[in-house]
Amino acid sequence: MSADLDPARIEALLAAHASPIGRPLHVVAESGSTSDDAKQAARRGAPHGAAFVADRQSAGRGRMGHAWHSPPGENLYASWVLRPRVPARLLPPLSLAGGLAVLDAVRELEGARLEPRLKWPNDVLVSGRKLAGVLVEALLAGDRVDAVVVGIGVNVRARAFPPPLDAIATSLALEGAGALDRGLLFSVLSAALARRVAQFETEGVASLAREVRAADALAGQEIAIDGARGTAAGLDDEGRLLVRGADGVLRAFAAGEVSIGTRPRGA
Ligand code: BTN
C-alpha cells in the first residue's frame, strides 16, 4: 500500500489538523466497501468518529445502488461512523454537510486553483465533472438515530476512467491539483466533516443550505429529477432542491437523482 495511507502518518496528520473525528482509524489494503465496514462496526458499538479507509474496494457503492469505481493506489475511499444529536426526520439534509466538507477540504488544499461546485444533494463537481461522491446511510433505533455512516469517495490520482465514467468523471490529478496525498486529504476532510456536522447540529439545515446555494452547480440549469423536468432554482431553507417546471410552478424535492440537461448520471 502506498506511503500516503500509512496509518501512523495519518494519525499525526489528524492531530495536526485538530480533527475530532477519524479515530479509531482502520486502514486496509482492500475492503468490500468501507461503508459496510463502518456500518458493521457501528452496530457493534464503534464510537462517534471511528473511520475506515481502504486503498481499494471490491464492491464500492454509490447512491441509488450504483457501483463506485474503486481501483487501488489512486483514490480516497473513506467512511466515518457518526453519532449526531439529530432526530431521524432531520437526517436527509445531513448529506449536504458531506458535500460541503469535501468542498472545504479541496478549497483548503488547493486554494483558488480549483473551483469545486456542489451538485445537490452532495456530488462535488470540478469543471462540470464529478470529483467526489458522498453516501450517507443511517442506522435507526425506532425514531432515534443510532449512527450515521458517511462514506466519501474522492478521485485523487486517477488519470483515466473506464466508460461511461470517462465522459463524466474527473480527479484532482486531472484538474492539476498540487496535493495528491490521500492521507492528507483524509485528515483535512475529517476536520471539515466534523465542523459541518457540528454546524448542522447547532445552526440547522438553513445555514448549510445557504452555503450550498453559494456553490450550486445546478442553479439555472435544465435538469431532470425523478421523471420531472425543469429549471433548477436553488435550495429552500430545509435543504430541498427547488425546480421550476415548464408550467411555471416551483416544486421542492427532498431526495432524488438529478441529471443535468440530456447528459447521463453524474454529469
Ligand atoms: C455517489 O456519488 O453515488 C456516492 C459515492 C460514495 C463512494 C464512497 S467510497 C467510500 C464509501 N464506500 C462505499 O462503498 N461508498 C462510499
Side-chain angles (χ1 to χ4, degrees), residues 21-102:
I21 64 170
R23 294 182 214 84
L25 175 65
H26 308 263
V27 183
V28 294
E30 176 170 344
S31 159
S33 156
T34 56
S35 285
D36 289 344
D37 299 340
K39 276 205 277 190
Q40 198 175 48
R43 285 194 197 96
R44 292 181 182 153
H48 174 80
F52 297 78
V53 176
D55 184 46
R56 144 172 216 271
Q57 296 183 119
S58 55
R61 297 184 284 108
R63 295 176 61 238
M64 311 279 172
H66 294 285
W68 187 255
H69 179 60
S70 307
E74 293 192 355
N75 307 318
L76 178 66
Y77 318 114
S79 301
W80 294 257
V81 174
L82 303 178
R83 299 194 184 269
R85 295 179 302 273
V86 291
R89 67 188 165 75
L90 288 183
L91 272 184
L94 175 65
S95 65
L96 301 179
L100 280 169
V102 178

